[in-house]
Amino acid sequence: MTMTGEVILPADKATVWAKLNDADTLKASIPGCQSLEKTDDTHFAAVAKVKLGPVSATFKGKVELQDIDAPNGYKIVGEGEGGVAGFAKGGAVVKLFDDPEGTKLTYEVEANIGGKLAQLGSRLVNGVAKKMADEFFANFATAVKAG
């Protein structure tokens, strides 16, 4: 599944870039995130609890930042295991642009799932994935506004 979108953030590009690389800000922005630890400059270890319809699972995984072009964007790739619920993996290309109102952030997300999660049907999974992406960017915008 692929999702794209954009959001205008009320801060300069340098501030948004710093927040995109801050583990505490990302943890607070990711729906269901229980922990997010930076293991080095480009790697994170994460634990997130996700509910998709009747299936609830805790995913443990890793995240890597690639193609870093500070402060203009990067590619973020990750994968997680949710036990019997299955697995999730994917990536997102995030780009930042100057905007009269602050910074425009665009994203293109590619995600794949397997196991019980994949059996739920693409309509349910796509709907939940879109909701989680929207929630992440709303939370992220709030964190950027808070400074």
Side-chain angles (χ1 to χ4, degrees), residues 5 67 73-76 91-95 105-110:
D67 303 333
Y74 58 45
K75 181 176 183 180
I76 184 168
V93 174
V94 178
K95 294 182 181 175
L105 181 152
T106 65
Y107 61 92
E108 183 175 331
V109 177
E110 183 70 40

Side-chain angles (χ1 to χ4, degrees), residues 1 4 7 20 22 25 34-36 40 43 45 71 78 85 98 100 102 108 113 115 124 139 142:
M1 89 187 82
T4 60
V7 61
L20 276 174
D22 179 63
T25 301
Q34 296 177 330
S35 71
L36 183 70
D40 65 32
H43 294 85
D98 290 319
E108 183 175 331
I113 59 169
L124 174 63
N139 294 345
T142 299

Side-chain angles (χ1 to χ4, degrees), residues 67-139:
D67 303 333
I68 298 170
D69 177 22
N72 302 308
Y74 58 45
K75 181 176 183 180
I76 184 168
V77 294
E79 58 184 55
E81 288 291 329
V84 296
F87 68 87
K89 61 182 175 178
V93 174
V94 178
K95 294 182 181 175
L96 302 178
F97 302 93
D98 290 319
D99 186 88
E101 296 177 38
T103 301
K104 178 167 75 169
L105 181 152
T106 65
Y107 61 92
E108 183 175 331
V109 177
E110 183 70 40
N112 296 300
I113 59 169
K116 281 188 179 180
L117 293 175
Q119 297 170 1
L120 293 174
S122 63
R123 187 177 303 193
L124 174 63
V125 172
N126 289 348
V128 171
K130 173 79 171 113
K131 180 179 176 247
M132 288 180 71
D134 291 345
E135 195 174 324
F136 169 83
F137 287 105
N139 294 345

Side-chain angles (χ1 to χ4, degrees), residues 10-105:
D12 62 36
K13 196 171 6 175
T15 301
V16 174
W17 178 256
K19 293 286 189 184
L20 276 174
N21 289 278
D22 179 63
D24 291 334
T25 301
L26 293 174
K27 179 184 177 208
S29 301
I30 299 168
C33 188
Q34 296 177 330
S35 71
L36 183 70
E37 296 175 20
K38 197 168 194 172
T39 56
D40 65 32
D41 285 347
T42 59
H43 294 85
F44 297 86
V47 177
K49 187 167 187 160
V50 179
K51 182 164 175 46
L52 280 150
V55 178
S56 183
T58 300
F59 285 87
K60 295 180 182 175
K62 55 189 173 186
V63 177
E64 180 181 1
L65 306 180
Q66 300 175 345
D67 303 333
I68 298 170
D69 177 22
N72 302 308
Y74 58 45
K75 181 176 183 180
I76 184 168
V77 294
E79 58 184 55
E81 288 291 329
V84 296
F87 68 87
K89 61 182 175 178
V93 174
V94 178
K95 294 182 181 175
L96 302 178
F97 302 93
D98 290 319
D99 186 88
E101 296 177 38
T103 301
K104 178 167 75 169
L105 181 152

